[in-house]
Amino acid sequence: MKRLPVQKTYKLFIGGAFPRSESGRTLVAEGANVARASRKDLRDAVRIARQAGVGWAKATAYNRGQVLYRIAEMMETRRAELASVASSKAEVDRAIDRVVWYAGWADKIAQVVGTANPVAGPYFNFTVPEPTGVVGILAPEPPLLGLVSRLAPVIVGGNTAVVIASEAHPLVAIELAECLATADVPPGVVNILTGLRKELAPWLASHMDVSALDLTGGDGDAAELERLGAENVKRVVRGKADGQSPYDITAFLELKTVWHPIGM
Amino acid sequence: MATAWDYAPAPEARDIVRIQERYGLFIGGKFVEPLSGERYTTIDPAREEPLSEVAQANKADVNRAVKAARGAFEGSWSKLRPSERAKYLFRIARILQERSREFAVLESLNGGKPIRESRDVDVPLAAAHFFYYAGWADKLEYAFPNRRPRPIGVAGQIIPWNFPLLMLAWKIAPALAAGNTVVLKPAETTPLTALLFCDVLRQAELPPGVVNIVTGDGRTGAEIVAHPGVDKIAFTGSTEVGKAIQRTLAGTGKRLTLELGGKAANIVFDDAPLDQAVEGIINGIYFNQGHVCCAGSRLFVQESIYEATIAKLKRRMRTLRVGDPLDKNTDVGAINSKQQLEKIASLVQSGVEEGAEIYQPPCKLPERGYWFVPTVFTNVAQSYRIAQEEIFGPVLSVLTFRTPDEAIEKANNTPYGLSAGVWTEKGSRILAMAQRLRAGVVWANTYNRFDPASPFGGYKESGFGREGGRHGLEAYVALDDA
């Protein structure tokens, strides 16, 4: 007799856990019931991301690199599952390799963009990059590669993220969340919401505890979201859905310059 | 009066390691019999017991290894996509992490260093080096802006016995990341972790010939240096051998980096946090039995705190535990070889004869094996051999100074320039001292720190080139115009 498979429940990913929407709502996407996150879910996610940022920003760059590499390991073992909800196997492979590429940047970005500044005086002066804080991401298509391409540079630099997954293709984002949950990523460093963009994006863009926005996945509403972000001077990035660059990391980094006198 | 507490023995189990009776040479991805037909015995210096028979590679063996490396370079490795090269290196890093216990035990067995150090320092740092350079493999264009970096070819690498696996990692990781292939010779007395590393390469499925390991003494090293098929030599070891290598390569156009000896100054000012400074002094000179090229072997203490410092230092020395390297409580292990023990003893004898005052804490040494009691000399003049020559053992020479200028002048008064230490609460003074010390690494209020992201290497006769960090890549790339 044919065995009846167990169906999966697609839930949100907040603070390392998989809760349903507090609103109790779902929507149907790609033939499955998917949690429809509310404004309150979003606010919870931002609060938790902010808390998680304290430890994540302090983690050594080496440690962050190890965690990103571990994400790639977990994605590799779930390659088939990811492919079943991504656009293709090739998309999954490219997404995994992209995570590995960014893993390597963790302890190098400061060596490329940091400087020792030869000021005209007896001072030791240096500039180092530091994370900006909580980054809101509207994930672009394709649903896995787009999400990974925007998320990896954000977290490798020590930021935490609140991601609004693709509205049309949310399943692979939750599949990815299951990789993140088993990859030593500290709870709350990445939070992924599924639901309706128009119900969530304006609240993410106007939230006063979100430091930066990645609107690469924004469509007609990007300009309006950018306007909302001006209220607390958010750093707004519109990058490439399928790009990899150290400048995608620095887009979410602040630069700190330190002066110290030299003398006996 | 402080003395070492009596602890019950806490030996690390050695059965995790399976040492073969004899080893061949690792060439072209497999172990082969040496064409030389010669082998020698490698031992456990703490017990003077044989561990294995390893090959003494001759000219024909080295030639075979270079050919394998050349074949792998031209056949596949240099043409592989950089992101795939990176993934091989990440695999090696991970496997080293997974097998860290095995490597730590073997390193302590064959080299004599305390298990605490091989477990907490050597092996994790070796894995971290592979992890760090893995990330560079597909990002070289960001390390060398406006240049097109390409690999050099076959790198001949010769490493010392004080940090066998870690030095292997320092050499192999950047070489492979940049797309080169390698012929590496571990030190004569400590070949076993390099030979175990070949099994890591097998598990990582590294293409054959990318890394070749040839064992032997200095004659094998000389064959690598002289081989016309080697494009680059990287050597870590004594200044004397380094100079000989530089002479041999003169006029050949081969690339060379040298990491040689040191006689580091560790300078303590009167405002230093003294207890921390004493810990730093102890770590600086007795870490790894003083078999450290950057060891803080000359201590300069400001006169006003001289007596207090020496009293605390001697007190701390009495609590050092010397003995079985495999015991988890051991601070100071076995001297690496009989030859090295004799060298240390003879230099210490010269210190006594020249008039320095010797102190050695009471210490019961095991009956068998090579041991040397942690030693400090006071009343040392700058001209004494113990203040001039690298001892490479647990022997500290103490000198004094009054002013920062005097400290700088004395500290720089050496042909070496690998490292230095500064202890003071005053930040501006740290930076002023750092500016004026002629040394490649300056540690402030710490000592003997290492990290794959941090470049390491010497000024003056301590060699040239850097290992670690972005700068460590430079030794392994040719930079074409973009």
Side-chain angles (χ1 to χ4, degrees), chain A residues 95 110 190 231 240:
Chain A
V190 181
E231 189 56 30
K240 284 189 192 140

Side-chain angles (χ1 to χ4, degrees), chain B residues 254-399:
Chain B
K254 279 185 201 173
R255 300 269 296 263
L256 175 64
T257 44
L258 296 171
E259 204 266 87
L260 308 176
K263 191 75 188 174
N266 205 358
I267 304 166
V268 184
F269 284 94
D270 56 9
D271 67 340
L274 208 50
D275 289 326
Q276 282 175 44
V278 167
E279 284 307 308
I281 295 162
I282 292 278
N283 172 46
I285 186 62
Y286 302 124
F287 175 65
N288 199 33
Q289 297 74 250
H291 299 329
V292 183
C293 44
C294 52
S297 52
R298 288 182 301 154
L299 175 65
F300 290 94
V301 184
Q302 200 154 20
E303 275 188 7
S304 54
I305 55 160
Y306 174 75
E307 266 143 39
T309 307
I310 297 303
K312 275 181 189 281
L313 182 63
K314 287 181 177 171
R315 185 173 185 278
R316 180 67 180 86
M317 284 172 74
R318 287 193 290 273
T319 66
L320 287 174
R321 314 179 69 85
V322 185
D324 183 4
L326 286 185
D327 193 305
K328 288 168 222 167
N329 293 320
T330 294
D331 298 310
V332 180
I335 300 300
N336 184 263
S337 67
K338 190 161 180 254
Q339 191 191 9
Q340 186 59 26
L341 181 62
E342 283 163 2
K343 187 190 161 194
I344 296 167
S346 114
L347 273 159
V348 165
Q349 185 58 32
S350 82
V352 173
E353 281 164 11
E354 285 186 294
E357 198 176 303
I358 188 171
Y359 175 78
Q360 293 176 320
C363 188
K364 217 176 101 194
L365 298 179
E367 274 167 27
R368 297 193 65 187
Y370 311 132
W371 310 95
F372 203 87
V373 180
T375 301
V376 63
F377 278 110
T378 50
N379 203 16
V380 177
Q382 287 241 77
S383 58
Y384 292 178
R385 285 182 67 198
I386 53 168
Q388 293 285 332
E389 296 178 29
E390 185 176 41
I391 300 173
F392 224 63
V395 181
L396 178 66
S397 300
V398 186
L399 299 96

